[in-house]
Amino acid sequence: MKKILLATHNRDKAREFQMLLAGLDIEVLTLDAFPQVGELVEDGESLDENALRKARETWRITGLPALADDTGLEVFYLNKAPGVYSARFAGPGATYASNCRKLLAELRGVPPRRRNAQFRCVLALVGWSTEVILAEGVCTGTITESPRGTNGFGYDPLFLPSGCTHTYAEMEDESKNRISHRGKAAREMKALIAKSGILTKS
Ligand code: IMP
């Protein structure tokens, strides 16, 4: 069976990907079994650049087709910040909680109609075929005035997707995956993998 290695040390993302890539005739591996892959640096200036770097580095070290994701939360009132800096928004040693606190502080007093935002996820698959495969998914929504829900990770308690009454963190995994930025990008990636014809060649 063909293999794809998820180029992330983030267990929350890996868990979502395991669900999202189910159904393809592929064994989806995580970095847990590859300690030789150290920290994957994300210091590029765009999501595409970071996703590509992480996938290339993982492929270089392991020789396995590597799938990396880079995600940014773009808040329009903040000129699309934190964007590519979403993981480090609260500075060195930032955590999910400190990033959420900082975001709420930056938006204090901003009314709901001006709290529009979007999650953008870029996926890069390197080493699968001769070409790099890229996919993107966007989910629009608003930033709540206080955290809601305990599921998910990162900014999930603050993100209310458009047309929804529940934040990402108030949804079950399956509901989040159906509408999320990562879900959309993963479905596009699955279609591109299927279209590559490589699965039928084995
Ligand atoms: P990165 O793609 O690992 O750089 O993620 C950037 C930041 O966005 C991290 O702090 C994550 O916590 C956050 N993030 C990424 N994906 C999600 C998501 O699906 N929900 C909430 N936060 C996320």
Side-chain angles (χ1 to χ4, degrees), residues 51-52 55-56 59 123-135 189 192:
L52 263 172
R56 283 205 172 108
W59 176 56
L123 298 183
L125 177 59
V126 172
W128 177 259
S129 59
T130 49
E131 313 255 311
V132 166
I133 304 180
L134 288 173
M189 180 56 77
L192 292 171

Side-chain angles (χ1 to χ4, degrees), residues 21 138 152 155:
L21 296 175
V138 173
Y155 298 94

